[in-house]
Amino acid sequence: MKKLMLNMAQIAGFLLLLACQPLVAQSSNDAPADSDLMISAQVHGDIYGQPKVIDDFDGDGIKDIIFGATDGKVHIFSTTGREVFRPPYWPKQTGGPILADVQLTDLTNDGSTEIIVASQDGKVYCLNALGREKWVVNTRGKILISAPEIADVDGSGIHHLFIGSKSGMVSRIDDSGRLIWEVRMNTSVSAAVVARDLDGSGIKEIIAKDDGGKVMVFGTNGVPKPGWPQETAANLTWPFNVDAGDINGDGIKEIYTTTPDKKFVMWNTEGNKLNEFPLSDGAHTAPRLADLDGDGRDEFIIAQADGTITVCDRNGRSLSGWPFKTGHAIYHAPRIIDIDGDGRPDLVFTAWNPEGVGVKAGYIMALSRNGTPLAGYPKYIGKTVAPLTFADLNNNGYLEMIAAGGINYTGKQLHVFKTRARNHIKIAVLGQEVFFQ
């Protein structure tokens, strides 16, 4: 995989005196040619993380878009076409490039939204809506692409943060920015740390995977659970995440991951291997579970690094019409959403073509549940590795699709497209990701 290019130009100081900067839809030859395109905007710095939707920030009555970039700043863009500039707080400068998703949460249950940012300076920043720092925690190691997991792990109503870093530590941070515990893994931790209630008890366990391939399950106190760790192949240049889900409907979740030596591996909560089957490549995002064929049983949706989308059962048997091969790198599992409004779930994802030039270096692809490309796709947006966000930005009842592209000067960075997806699709989670269910 190609090395990340992070040295981006900084915004000139005099621009900070401006109240806002207009975002003009592209009209040049590198513009995505699509009648559904609403916004295609230039951003200072590349966007590797998922753009999120924040409640109306600038008072125009329309939701706004927030994300971090490789210029080290958190940016807020109005969907009416302007970036919010409120020096010295917006755009908010951190101490290093931001590759991870910005997280939005009411961390302290006071009715206000906190903005959680993990920077490559190794620090986790908690900001209020004004952009002022509420607290900062130093993990003492770079945070590559993994945003903090925010979870109420014990049913107390109090949310804590869990994150790994290049220091090799997995850290638990409370809502006041206090380090509750940190546990050392074998090597650096680039993969996302996740909190899951594995046994239906209402208490969440913490699941982590280090860059050496070790998978660990911790209790809420940071003590490893019996049967863990389990070993898998070491990462290459990008992590291969781990997750958990209830595969057989018995109320107990299984734990699974993919590996750079092209395997899917699944364990029970005690660390006993339940299954393993070959893939054409590993999946950076952990496999997603969804019932695509309507038979009442979830399938695994595996977006492999070589550009193959596999939809299969727990034994690796593919559904009819799958796999679908793009031939290009995919970094995130597809979003499952009825994007064309026909009442059936679709799979929508971004892909990167290393041989592509300009906006042809990356695109958005949409497939039917049977693996057939939908009309109007692909939509070219330049090199892209970020997952998509769907939200009803203008309150018209339809969801817009928000995409980050243009990495390494292959195009503009922020794109918003109209879709036929409706906002009554359940469920919507914080940050306005929407999944068909």
Side-chain angles (χ1 to χ4, degrees):
M1 275 174 209
K2 299 210 172 178
K3 195 171 181 181
L4 304 179
M5 304 294 294
L6 301 178
N7 49 334
M8 308 300 297
Q10 299 292 315
I11 298 177
F14 74 90
L15 287 176
L16 296 178
L17 300 176
L18 300 176
C20 56
Q21 174 177 298
L23 292 180
V24 181
Q26 289 182 336
S27 58
S28 64
N29 291 334
D30 67 345
D34 196 294
S35 60
D36 293 331
L37 182 65
M38 293 174 59
I39 292 174
S40 189
Q42 188 73 54
V43 176
H44 294 272
D46 285 330
I47 308 170
Y48 280 78
Q50 180 185 12
K52 298 290 182 68
V53 174
I54 192 169
D55 285 338
D56 181 21
F57 189 88
D58 55 4
D60 64 1
I62 300 176
K63 299 181 184 73
D64 299 313
I65 301 170
I66 186 169
F67 54 86
T70 56
D71 62 359
K73 296 179 181 180
V74 182
H75 299 268
I76 297 177
F77 278 80
S78 169
T79 52
T80 58
R82 296 182 182 275
E83 179 170 8
V84 175
F85 277 98
R86 293 183 182 173
Y89 298 112
W90 296 111
K92 172 64 179 180
Q93 181 73 61
T94 69
I98 303 169
L99 275 69
D101 301 349
V102 171
Q103 302 284 57
L104 305 175
T105 183
D106 182 1
L107 193 61
T108 55
N109 294 312
D110 62 356
S112 62
T113 298
E114 280 79 36
I115 301 163
I116 310 296
V117 185
S119 173
Q120 283 214 308
D121 64 1
K123 296 177 181 178
V124 180
Y125 297 78
C126 178
L127 314 174
N128 65 15
L130 298 176
R132 295 181 177 135
E133 294 175 7
K134 300 184 72 171
W135 50 259
V136 179
V137 174
N138 190 355
T139 70
R140 306 187 308 282
K142 283 185 179 181
I143 301 170
L144 184 58
I145 61 167
S146 299
E149 174 83 330
I150 302 171
D152 171 10
V153 294
D154 56 10
S156 66
I158 299 173
H159 291 83
H160 285 194
L161 283 70
F162 300 86
I163 193 167
S165 78
K166 300 295 279 188
S167 68
M169 295 292 187
V170 174
S171 302
R172 177 177 179 176
I173 303 166
D174 75 4
D175 57 355
S176 299
R178 294 181 300 170
L179 183 64
I180 302 301
W181 52 253
E182 57 183 11
V183 178
R184 180 173 292 281
M185 302 286 281
N186 283 351
T187 63
S188 58
V189 182
S190 301
V193 177
V194 297
R196 301 289 184 264
D197 180 1
L198 296 179
D199 58 5
S201 66
I203 304 298
K204 292 182 172 69
E205 284 74 33
I206 313 305
I207 310 172
K209 183 181 181 184
D210 67 18
D211 292 339
K214 182 175 79 172
V215 177
M216 181 68 82
V217 178
F218 302 104
T220 56
N221 57 1
V223 175
K225 304 293 282 188
W228 300 94
Q230 295 295 325
E231 301 291 339
T232 68
N235 290 342
L236 300 175
T237 57
W238 205 269
F240 294 80
N241 287 348
V242 63
D243 209 337
D246 184 2
I247 309 305
N248 54 16
D250 64 355
I252 306 297
K253 290 182 173 64
E254 287 73 38
I255 298 156
Y256 43 81
T257 190
T258 71
T259 64
D261 61 350
K262 304 178 182 181
K263 294 177 182 177
F264 170 96
V265 188
M266 182 167 62
W267 305 269
N268 65 13
T269 55
E270 290 77 36
N272 299 313
K273 186 181 290 185
L274 298 177
N275 208 356
E276 179 178 303
F277 54 79
L279 299 167
S280 61
D281 208 343
H284 295 303
T285 300
R288 194 184 300 285
L289 280 172
D291 180 10
L292 288 186
D293 59 5
D295 66 354
R297 295 188 298 270
D298 284 340
E299 291 81 41
F300 282 111
I301 301 165
I302 309 176
Q304 295 159 215
D306 65 355
T308 301
I309 301 286
T310 297
V311 179
C312 62
D313 66 15
R314 60 178 296 171
N315 296 311
R317 291 188 294 260
S318 295
L319 269 62
S320 177
W322 301 96
F324 180 89
K325 298 179 182 293
T326 68
H328 303 136
I330 302 173
Y331 284 80
H332 288 274
R335 299 301 183 198
I336 312 303
I337 186 169
D338 177 15
I339 196 168
D340 56 4
D342 67 355
R344 295 184 292 270
D346 306 305
L347 292 77
V348 193
F349 57 94
T350 58
W352 165 40
N353 177 7
E355 306 303 320
V357 177
V359 293
K360 294 295 181 72
Y363 53 88
I364 303 164
M365 191 64 186
L367 306 174
S368 75
R369 62 178 179 173
N370 299 318
T372 303
L374 299 186
Y377 292 88
K379 298 181 187 294
Y380 292 100
I381 58 173
K383 181 179 176 181
T384 175
V385 300
L388 299 160
T389 293
F390 292 87
D392 183 4
L393 296 173
N394 53 14
N395 301 313
N396 69 348
Y398 290 93
L399 301 175
E400 284 72 47
M401 177 170 62
I402 306 164
I407 292 173
N408 295 348
Y409 304 103
T410 54
K412 295 193 176 182
Q413 288 76 28
L414 185 64
H415 309 273
V416 180
F417 294 88
K418 294 179 288 185
T419 78
R420 299 300 299 173
R422 300 300 297 264
N423 66 2
H424 63 266
I425 297 173
K426 298 179 180 180
I427 59 175
V429 298
L430 195 63
Q432 297 292 326
E433 297 179 41
V434 180
F435 299 91
F436 186 96
Q437 194 176 64

